[in-house]
mmCIF file with all atom_site columns, all heavy atoms in Angstrom:
data_model
loop_
_atom_site.group_PDB
_atom_site.id
_atom_site.type_symbol
_atom_site.label_atom_id
_atom_site.label_alt_id
_atom_site.label_comp_id
_atom_site.label_asym_id
_atom_site.label_entity_id
_atom_site.label_seq_id
_atom_site.pdbx_PDB_ins_code
_atom_site.Cartn_x
_atom_site.Cartn_y
_atom_site.Cartn_z
_atom_site.occupancy
_atom_site.B_iso_or_equiv
_atom_site.pdbx_formal_charge
_atom_site.auth_seq_id
_atom_site.auth_comp_id
_atom_site.auth_asym_id
_atom_site.auth_atom_id
_atom_site.pdbx_PDB_model_num
ATOM 1  N N   . ASP A 1 28 ? 8.459  25.587 -33.194 1.00 98.00 ? 28 ASP A N   1
ATOM 2  C CA  . ASP A 1 28 ? 9.596  25.593 -32.269 1.00 98.00 ? 28 ASP A CA  1
ATOM 3  C C   . ASP A 1 28 ? 10.901 25.092 -32.891 1.00 98.00 ? 28 ASP A C   1
ATOM 4  O O   . ASP A 1 28 ? 11.957 25.160 -32.245 1.00 98.00 ? 28 ASP A O   1
ATOM 5  C CB  . ASP A 1 28 ? 9.277  24.731 -31.035 1.00 98.00 ? 28 ASP A CB  1
ATOM 6  C CG  . ASP A 1 28 ? 8.106  25.280 -30.244 1.00 98.00 ? 28 ASP A CG  1
ATOM 7  O OD1 . ASP A 1 28 ? 8.045  26.508 -30.079 1.00 98.00 ? 28 ASP A OD1 1
ATOM 8  O OD2 . ASP A 1 28 ? 7.261  24.486 -29.798 1.00 98.00 ? 28 ASP A OD2 1
ATOM 9  N N   . TYR A 1 29 ? 10.847 24.579 -34.105 1.00 98.00 ? 29 TYR A N   1
ATOM 10 C CA  . TYR A 1 29 ? 12.050 23.975 -34.692 1.00 98.00 ? 29 TYR A CA  1
ATOM 11 C C   . TYR A 1 29 ? 13.215 24.962 -34.789 1.00 98.00 ? 29 TYR A C   1
ATOM 12 O O   . TYR A 1 29 ? 14.379 24.590 -34.622 1.00 98.00 ? 29 TYR A O   1
ATOM 13 C CB  . TYR A 1 29 ? 11.739 23.442 -36.094 1.00 98.00 ? 29 TYR A CB  1
ATOM 14 C CG  . TYR A 1 29 ? 10.733 22.321 -36.135 1.00 98.00 ? 29 TYR A CG  1
ATOM 15 C CD1 . TYR A 1 29 ? 9.722  22.314 -37.098 1.00 98.00 ? 29 TYR A CD1 1
ATOM 16 C CD2 . TYR A 1 29 ? 10.780 21.268 -35.235 1.00 98.00 ? 29 TYR A CD2 1
ATOM 17 C CE1 . TYR A 1 29 ? 8.791  21.288 -37.158 1.00 98.00 ? 29 TYR A CE1 1
ATOM 18 C CE2 . TYR A 1 29 ? 9.848  20.234 -35.277 1.00 98.00 ? 29 TYR A CE2 1
ATOM 19 C CZ  . TYR A 1 29 ? 8.855  20.251 -36.254 1.00 98.00 ? 29 TYR A CZ  1
ATOM 20 O OH  . TYR A 1 29 ? 7.941  19.241 -36.314 1.00 98.00 ? 29 TYR A OH  1
ATOM 21 N N   . ASP A 1 30 ? 12.895 26.234 -35.052 1.00 97.00 ? 30 ASP A N   1
ATOM 22 C CA  . ASP A 1 30 ? 13.958 27.222 -35.259 1.00 97.00 ? 30 ASP A CA  1
ATOM 23 C C   . ASP A 1 30 ? 14.742 27.524 -33.989 1.00 97.00 ? 30 ASP A C   1
ATOM 24 O O   . ASP A 1 30 ? 15.795 28.162 -34.041 1.00 97.00 ? 30 ASP A O   1
ATOM 25 C CB  . ASP A 1 30 ? 13.373 28.529 -35.805 1.00 97.00 ? 30 ASP A CB  1
ATOM 26 C CG  . ASP A 1 30 ? 12.777 28.359 -37.189 1.00 97.00 ? 30 ASP A CG  1
ATOM 27 O OD1 . ASP A 1 30 ? 13.079 27.349 -37.834 1.00 97.00 ? 30 ASP A OD1 1
ATOM 28 O OD2 . ASP A 1 30 ? 11.997 29.238 -37.614 1.00 97.00 ? 30 ASP A OD2 1
ATOM 29 N N   . LEU A 1 31 ? 14.242 27.091 -32.845 1.00 98.00 ? 31 LEU A N   1
ATOM 30 C CA  . LEU A 1 31 ? 14.939 27.347 -31.588 1.00 98.00 ? 31 LEU A CA  1
ATOM 31 C C   . LEU A 1 31 ? 16.198 26.493 -31.446 1.00 98.00 ? 31 LEU A C   1
ATOM 32 O O   . LEU A 1 31 ? 17.145 26.883 -30.767 1.00 98.00 ? 31 LEU A O   1
ATOM 33 C CB  . LEU A 1 31 ? 14.003 27.064 -30.396 1.00 98.00 ? 31 LEU A CB  1
ATOM 34 C CG  . LEU A 1 31 ? 12.754 27.942 -30.269 1.00 98.00 ? 31 LEU A CG  1
ATOM 35 C CD1 . LEU A 1 31 ? 11.900 27.446 -29.112 1.00 98.00 ? 31 LEU A CD1 1
ATOM 36 C CD2 . LEU A 1 31 ? 13.143 29.397 -30.067 1.00 98.00 ? 31 LEU A CD2 1
ATOM 37 N N   . TRP A 1 32 ? 16.186 25.336 -32.088 1.00 98.00 ? 32 TRP A N   1
ATOM 38 C CA  . TRP A 1 32 ? 17.272 24.387 -31.834 1.00 98.00 ? 32 TRP A CA  1
ATOM 39 C C   . TRP A 1 32 ? 18.487 24.665 -32.710 1.00 98.00 ? 32 TRP A C   1
ATOM 40 O O   . TRP A 1 32 ? 18.392 24.893 -33.915 1.00 98.00 ? 32 TRP A O   1
ATOM 41 C CB  . TRP A 1 32 ? 16.792 22.956 -32.056 1.00 98.00 ? 32 TRP A CB  1
ATOM 42 C CG  . TRP A 1 32 ? 16.449 22.316 -30.745 1.00 98.00 ? 32 TRP A CG  1
ATOM 43 C CD1 . TRP A 1 32 ? 17.226 21.476 -30.013 1.00 98.00 ? 32 TRP A CD1 1
ATOM 44 C CD2 . TRP A 1 32 ? 15.237 22.488 -29.999 1.00 98.00 ? 32 TRP A CD2 1
ATOM 45 N NE1 . TRP A 1 32 ? 16.591 21.120 -28.849 1.00 98.00 ? 32 TRP A NE1 1
ATOM 46 C CE2 . TRP A 1 32 ? 15.362 21.728 -28.805 1.00 98.00 ? 32 TRP A CE2 1
ATOM 47 C CE3 . TRP A 1 32 ? 14.083 23.222 -30.202 1.00 98.00 ? 32 TRP A CE3 1
ATOM 48 C CZ2 . TRP A 1 32 ? 14.366 21.669 -27.843 1.00 98.00 ? 32 TRP A CZ2 1
ATOM 49 C CZ3 . TRP A 1 32 ? 13.089 23.173 -29.235 1.00 98.00 ? 32 TRP A CZ3 1
ATOM 50 C CH2 . TRP A 1 32 ? 13.229 22.399 -28.068 1.00 98.00 ? 32 TRP A CH2 1
ATOM 51 N N   . LYS A 1 33 ? 19.629 24.644 -32.060 1.00 98.00 ? 33 LYS A N   1
ATOM 52 C CA  . LYS A 1 33 ? 20.894 24.873 -32.750 1.00 98.00 ? 33 LYS A CA  1
ATOM 53 C C   . LYS A 1 33 ? 21.749 23.618 -32.686 1.00 98.00 ? 33 LYS A C   1
ATOM 54 O O   . LYS A 1 33 ? 21.491 22.699 -31.904 1.00 98.00 ? 33 LYS A O   1
ATOM 55 C CB  . LYS A 1 33 ? 21.643 26.056 -32.115 1.00 98.00 ? 33 LYS A CB  1
ATOM 56 C CG  . LYS A 1 33 ? 20.927 27.398 -32.288 1.00 98.00 ? 33 LYS A CG  1
ATOM 57 C CD  . LYS A 1 33 ? 21.698 28.519 -31.630 1.00 98.00 ? 33 LYS A CD  1
ATOM 58 C CE  . LYS A 1 33 ? 21.086 29.877 -31.962 1.00 98.00 ? 33 LYS A CE  1
ATOM 59 N NZ  . LYS A 1 33 ? 19.724 30.036 -31.469 1.00 98.00 ? 33 LYS A NZ  1
ATOM 60 N N   . ASN A 1 34 ? 22.770 23.612 -33.533 1.00 98.00 ? 34 ASN A N   1
ATOM 61 C CA  . ASN A 1 34 ? 23.685 22.470 -33.568 1.00 98.00 ? 34 ASN A CA  1
ATOM 62 C C   . ASN A 1 34 ? 25.111 22.971 -33.755 1.00 98.00 ? 34 ASN A C   1
ATOM 63 O O   . ASN A 1 34 ? 25.339 24.069 -34.282 1.00 98.00 ? 34 ASN A O   1
ATOM 64 C CB  . ASN A 1 34 ? 23.313 21.520 -34.713 1.00 98.00 ? 34 ASN A CB  1
ATOM 65 C CG  . ASN A 1 34 ? 23.791 20.107 -34.460 1.00 98.00 ? 34 ASN A CG  1
ATOM 66 O OD1 . ASN A 1 34 ? 24.505 19.832 -33.493 1.00 98.00 ? 34 ASN A OD1 1
ATOM 67 N ND2 . ASN A 1 34 ? 23.412 19.196 -35.328 1.00 98.00 ? 34 ASN A ND2 1
ATOM 68 N N   . ILE A 1 35 ? 26.078 22.169 -33.322 1.00 98.00 ? 35 ILE A N   1
ATOM 69 C CA  . ILE A 1 35 ? 27.492 22.487 -33.523 1.00 98.00 ? 35 ILE A CA  1
ATOM 70 C C   . ILE A 1 35 ? 27.887 21.917 -34.878 1.00 98.00 ? 35 ILE A C   1
ATOM 71 O O   . ILE A 1 35 ? 27.905 20.697 -35.067 1.00 98.00 ? 35 ILE A O   1
ATOM 72 C CB  . ILE A 1 35 ? 28.368 21.879 -32.421 1.00 98.00 ? 35 ILE A CB  1
ATOM 73 C CG1 . ILE A 1 35 ? 27.887 22.331 -31.038 1.00 98.00 ? 35 ILE A CG1 1
ATOM 74 C CG2 . ILE A 1 35 ? 29.831 22.266 -32.619 1.00 98.00 ? 35 ILE A CG2 1
ATOM 75 C CD1 . ILE A 1 35 ? 28.586 21.638 -29.887 1.00 98.00 ? 35 ILE A CD1 1
ATOM 76 N N   . THR A 1 36 ? 28.183 22.778 -35.816 1.00 97.00 ? 36 THR A N   1
ATOM 77 C CA  . THR A 1 36 ? 28.447 22.309 -37.178 1.00 97.00 ? 36 THR A CA  1
ATOM 78 C C   . THR A 1 36 ? 29.927 22.105 -37.463 1.00 97.00 ? 36 THR A C   1
ATOM 79 O O   . THR A 1 36 ? 30.275 21.399 -38.405 1.00 97.00 ? 36 THR A O   1
ATOM 80 C CB  . THR A 1 36 ? 27.878 23.303 -38.202 1.00 97.00 ? 36 THR A CB  1
ATOM 81 O OG1 . THR A 1 36 ? 28.468 24.586 -38.004 1.00 97.00 ? 36 THR A OG1 1
ATOM 82 C CG2 . THR A 1 36 ? 26.364 23.417 -38.059 1.00 97.00 ? 36 THR A CG2 1
ATOM 83 N N   . LYS A 1 37 ? 30.803 22.742 -36.674 1.00 97.00 ? 37 LYS A N   1
ATOM 84 C CA  . LYS A 1 37 ? 32.243 22.569 -36.904 1.00 97.00 ? 37 LYS A CA  1
ATOM 85 C C   . LYS A 1 37 ? 32.991 22.882 -35.619 1.00 97.00 ? 37 LYS A C   1
ATOM 86 O O   . LYS A 1 37 ? 32.634 23.801 -34.882 1.00 97.00 ? 37 LYS A O   1
ATOM 87 C CB  . LYS A 1 37 ? 32.732 23.463 -38.041 1.00 97.00 ? 37 LYS A CB  1
ATOM 88 C CG  . LYS A 1 37 ? 34.161 23.173 -38.495 1.00 97.00 ? 37 LYS A CG  1
ATOM 89 C CD  . LYS A 1 37 ? 34.531 24.024 -39.699 1.00 97.00 ? 37 LYS A CD  1
ATOM 90 C CE  . LYS A 1 37 ? 33.842 23.554 -40.953 1.00 97.00 ? 37 LYS A CE  1
ATOM 91 N NZ  . LYS A 1 37 ? 34.310 22.246 -41.434 1.00 97.00 ? 37 LYS A NZ  1
#
Side-chain angles (χ1 to χ4, degrees):
D28 297 318
Y29 296 136
D30 295 344
L31 296 175
W32 261 261
K33 294 179 172 63
N34 204 354
I35 304 173
T36 59
K37 190 175 287 292

